[in-house]
Amino acid sequence: MRTWLLAVVLLCAGPSFAQTQPPVPVHDPAADDAAARFDRMSDQEKEALRERLREYKALPLDEQFRIQANLARWRALPPEEKAQVRQNFEAFQRLDPEERQRLLHQWREFQKLPPEEREQLRERMREYLQANPERRKQMMENLRQWRKMTREQREQMRQRLREMRERRPR
């Protein structure tokens, strides 16, 4: 069950790969291992797996392609990155249900943003993660202040920042 949940998280977390054709299947030695694992499963586990396969086949083709691409991307990850993803997933699973729901909601909202805005947010997160503790503290305080502002106050601040950028010598 945990591996299925991991796959779902990976599929949701990965970028959407719009494709017109499915990836070309290649012989995967791991498939032989998967067949052996399937043979060792209980009848109940096999039936659950068959049900998930039926659900997968019922998905629209573009969704199936996205899943296949994400799985291919997962398989291509170095072992260290896979371990990090698993750690993150386990930490996510340990959160209380309300916190998990809040994070999933935020993720879905993030996914709705235009690609440029998502990249800006990623860049800001990279800046935050690379900042020293004092700078991080200041960044968090700035964010708290920003969240307290009304929509009008935020727009005024944006306008001031635009004007400051325009006045800067180049």
Side-chain angles (χ1 to χ4, degrees):
M1 182 64 179
R2 294 183 89 186
T3 53
W4 176 247
L5 288 173
L6 175 62
V8 169
V9 167
L10 289 171
L11 297 174
C12 291
S16 181
F17 293 99
Q19 297 180 354
T20 56
Q21 298 180 12
V24 177
V26 264
H27 178 71
D28 184 2
D32 298 332
D33 184 44
R37 283 195 319 266
F38 183 81
D39 290 340
R40 291 190 300 270
M41 287 181 176
S42 70
D43 289 341
Q44 188 177 9
E45 291 170 319
K46 288 178 183 178
E47 186 51 41
L49 191 58
R50 287 183 186 109
E51 178 57 31
R52 289 194 299 267
L53 179 60
R54 284 190 289 274
E55 291 170 3
Y56 169 79
K57 287 183 175 183
L59 292 172
L61 280 178
D62 62 332
E63 183 68 5
Q64 290 181 28
F65 297 151
R66 187 184 71 76
I67 290 169
Q68 290 173 21
N70 284 339
L71 286 173
R73 210 179 86 222
W74 168 255
R75 289 182 185 121
L77 285 177
E80 311 80 49
E81 286 186 46
K82 285 182 181 179
Q84 183 63 54
V85 169
R86 285 185 182 106
Q87 268 184 332
N88 291 347
F89 177 72
E90 288 168 4
F92 178 79
Q93 288 300 104
R94 286 190 298 270
L95 296 172
D96 64 86
E98 293 91 28
E99 182 67 7
R100 282 197 308 262
Q101 286 303 313
R102 188 182 68 75
L103 288 172
L104 286 171
H105 175 74
Q106 286 178 336
W107 174 253
R108 288 182 192 113
E109 292 300 310
F110 175 80
Q111 290 298 97
K112 291 177 187 175
L113 294 174
E116 310 81 47
E117 286 184 46
R118 286 196 309 258
E119 188 51 42
Q120 285 176 348
L121 286 172
R122 284 186 189 105
E123 181 56 35
R124 288 185 192 137
M125 180 54 81
R126 281 189 287 271
E127 289 173 18
Y128 175 79
L129 292 173
Q130 293 172 356
N132 64 42
E134 187 176 308
R135 176 72 178 124
R136 281 187 187 189
K137 186 176 177 182
Q138 181 60 53
M139 292 168 87
M140 289 306 294
E141 182 55 35
N142 291 349
L143 179 60
R144 277 190 280 284
Q145 293 300 321
W146 180 261
R147 288 179 173 164
K148 289 179 185 177
M149 291 180 180
T150 65
R151 187 177 297 232
E152 293 78 24
Q153 290 171 323
R154 288 179 187 177
E155 191 50 47
Q156 289 173 354
M157 181 63 75
R158 286 185 187 106
Q159 183 59 36
R160 280 188 236 144
L161 290 170
R162 281 191 288 270
E163 290 170 3
M164 287 172 54
R165 281 189 208 117
E166 290 170 4
R167 282 188 242 144
R168 254 192 266 162
R170 296 186 184 214

